[in-house]
């Protein structure tokens, strides 16, 4: 007899639900979480669909890790302390090998991001994963998109463009050196959700967003929400050694400006504030609207419905 | 130019996010909710896939309403006060007419269940909807599956089997009277999430669950979690007039025992406690394990992976 939904859920996911804020994890009608006194709940939801948000033949471990990281990145963007997450998995068939590998990727992310899995749903259908992350942030202290001030510095964490270049590698269109290719694939499948940085920025940044749709598109959300213009100096944009090894420097820069899936943070800081470690000043906040990088680019961010 | 994801989300969903617990709704990286002091967060996630959990050609208004009701029912089962919800919609194409109708169904559910829509995601892919509900419950007061005691009464709210019968109507296999058919379809597409009853039961019931997979299957979860046996008297199971109009009484009873999708509550009460209005005593809690209804039935609850 094939394993039932309940048995599968228990076998692979029930052990991932322990954490300091978890009163009750998987197994009842709701999970119960403790939100610290004086803090608000911060929550966000992301869906990844096979063939749209990741290659349909990706390793299930990678799919599992990435689905969690993508959602956790939204907690980082508002400076929240992570409490837990729920995961809805839609799967064409109850493939135990696939589920085992997928759950190992989820488990790696639970551990990497300290984000216990407290509930979810498992259904039959075309492969898709929805992750809801739950965190807490002191009342009135969440980092929003709307606080950028004229004169602020514009900064990003890490390096940009790696995930966009990785898609080329995954499609076999660019091999690069083996080392570079491996690095870029890791950047795509195992993004860092900058949770520690996000909490640090609560004490200094005026606005923040995570870069999921591309720098220009996401910076555009800060500009619109804050009623300011963001001036980006393309020469300051941090690129990884792997991306710099691409023969077409202009293409690499375009990925860094418009490619999605990097899951770094883009934020604004008062002019006098020190730029945090592993972050780079890439421009400034001026009066006006929109984002200007001094270049004429074709594509401003990935959109799901073209 | 076709509307972008952002425009679509704003146009149809951004106005549904107001509520007393909502600090920040749709439009930033996370939504922010206020959980009352001394209360825990209660949360649950449900996915509905086209062709699996609802007919692929269902009216989008009905799909939207039902997706919310199914998830809200889990808040009812633990006795939580609703705070808000997030919704992930995966849609094959940006069909504005479909989206408008869907959002009207969601809006009707937002209003019916007092459950503001505070965030979500919209992606391209095979039609599926995931709803995450968020509520609060005083610390240590959540209704769980695990508290049933030997000697307790076993009760259900409303009537059972209507949604299972509705599927026959929807497939054109039973017409019944027009009035009955309409009633059953409403029961399937517009389930009541028993939120008020759930909160009321916090003060008296020893265990509760919502009936999503069928009475026998869901009662089985109470029996397993509580370490008891549940004895059901099939003659006491409440059937609607519409269901009673089915010519095969035995079939109707089977739907009430094993059909899913009713989203009524099944709960246990101390022997001396009064049965709440519109609820029915259908049996009792005894020593042992499992669920016994004195009948030999083929199917014990819908399972997604047969």
């Amino acid at each position: 007899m094939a394993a039932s939904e309940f048995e599968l859920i228990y076998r692979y996911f029930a052990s991932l639900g322990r954490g300091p804020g978890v009163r009750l994890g998987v197994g009842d009608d709701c999970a119960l979480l403790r939100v610290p006194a004086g803090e608000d709940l911060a929550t966000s939801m992301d869906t990844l669909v096979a063939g749209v948000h990741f290659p349909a033949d990706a390793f299930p471990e990678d799919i599992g890790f990435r689905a969690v990281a993508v959602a956790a990145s939204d907690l980082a963007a508002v400076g929240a302390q992570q409490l837990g997450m729920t995961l809805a998995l839609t799967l064409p068939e109850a493939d135990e090998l696939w589920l085992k590998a997928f759950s190992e990727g989820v488990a790696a992310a639970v551990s990497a991001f300290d984000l216990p899995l407290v509930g979810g749903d498992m259904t039959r259908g075309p492969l898709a994963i929805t992750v809801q992350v739950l965190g807490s942030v002191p009342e009135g202290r969440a980092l929003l998109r709307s606080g950028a001030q004229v004169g602020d510095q514009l900064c990003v964490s890490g390096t940009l463009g790696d995930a966009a270049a990785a898609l080329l590698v995954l499609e076999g269109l660019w091999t690069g050196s083996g080392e570079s290719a491996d690095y870029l694939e890791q950047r795509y499948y195992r993004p860092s959700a900058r949770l520690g940085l996000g909490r640090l920025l609560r004490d200094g940044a005026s606005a923040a967003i995570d870069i999921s749709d591309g720098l220009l598109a996401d910076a555009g959300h800060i500009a619109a929400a804050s009623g300011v213009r963001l001036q980006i100096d393309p020469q300051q944009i941090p690129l990884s050694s792997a991306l710099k090894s691409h023969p077409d420097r202009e293409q690499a820069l375009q990925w860094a400006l418009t490619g999605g899936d990097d899951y770094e943070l883009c934020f604004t800081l008062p002019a006098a504030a020190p730029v945090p470690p592993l972050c780079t000043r890439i421009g400034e906040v001026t009066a006006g609207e929109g984002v200007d990088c001094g270049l004429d680019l074709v594509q401003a961010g990935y959109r799901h419905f073209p």
Side-chain angles (χ1 to χ4, degrees), chain A:
Chain A
M1 192 185 101
S4 77
E5 177 195 9
F6 307 109
E7 288 158 1
L8 289 174
I9 290 174
Y10 271 92
R11 193 173 311 158
Y12 293 119
F13 297 112
S15 67
L16 303 177
R18 295 185 198 93
V22 182
R23 276 194 204 274
L24 185 69
V26 174
D28 213 291
D29 289 83
C30 285
L32 298 174
L33 294 172
R34 198 182 296 115
V35 176
E39 305 212 356
D40 284 336
L41 175 74
T43 189
S44 179
M45 176 182 252
D46 279 287
T47 299
L48 302 185
V49 179
V52 178
H53 301 96
F54 58 86
D57 62 352
F59 288 119
E61 294 93 324
D62 288 333
I63 298 171
F65 188 98
R66 186 162 179 276
V68 175
V70 164
S73 179
D74 284 316
L75 289 181
V78 301
Q81 170 70 44
Q82 56 275 42
L83 284 174
M85 63 167 164
T86 57
L87 187 153
L89 171 62
T90 303
L91 196 61
E93 54 182 352
D95 177 337
E96 290 224 27
L97 278 180
W98 193 97
L99 261 177
K100 182 169 185 300
F102 176 81
S103 73
E104 285 168 2
V106 171
V110 165
S111 172
F113 305 124
D114 200 11
L115 200 58
L117 178 65
V118 300
D121 196 8
M122 195 180 296
T123 50
R124 192 178 53 204
L127 180 59
I129 302 109
T130 296
V131 174
Q132 174 98 6
V133 287
L134 303 147
S136 68
V137 64
E139 283 174 19
R141 299 285 312 284
L143 269 174
L144 302 181
R145 301 174 179 180
S146 51
Q149 303 287 330
V150 173
D152 283 352
Q153 311 171 73
L154 179 65
C155 303
V156 295
S157 65
T159 59
L160 302 186
D162 295 328
L167 287 177
L168 225 70
V169 173
L170 292 170
E171 287 164 9
L173 299 175
W174 179 39
T175 51
S177 74
E179 200 182 324
S180 292
D182 288 350
Y183 177 82
L184 295 172
E185 282 196 34
Q186 284 286 309
R187 289 279 290 162
Y188 178 77
Y189 278 124
R190 306 273 166 154
S192 304
R194 302 292 185 191
L195 289 155
L197 175 63
R199 284 195 298 276
L200 182 74
L201 290 176
R202 260 185 358 220
D203 285 330
S206 49
I209 192 170
D210 73 322
I211 303 175
S212 54
D213 294 336
L215 174 63
L216 292 185
D218 290 313
H221 294 311
I222 289 184
S226 299
V228 297
R229 180 172 181 81
L230 301 180
Q231 188 73 42
I232 294 175
D233 176 359
Q235 299 312 314
Q236 301 304 318
I237 292 177
L239 306 184
S240 67
S241 303
L243 188 54
K244 282 182 187 160
S245 74
H246 192 275
D248 184 344
R249 166 83 188 187
E250 197 171 312
Q251 174 64 77
L253 185 59
Q254 167 132 0
W255 282 326
L257 284 162
T258 65
D261 292 327
D262 283 319
Y263 299 101
E264 297 293 345
L265 295 185
C266 174
F267 54 97
T268 56
L269 281 180
V275 175
L278 306 178
C279 296
T280 308
R281 182 186 193 280
I282 60 164
E284 61 184 332
V285 181
T286 63
E289 60 182 23
V291 180
D292 179 27
C293 65
L295 301 171
D296 199 14
L297 295 163
V298 180
Q299 178 205 359
Y302 179 81
R303 294 185 171 198
H304 298 299
F305 292 111

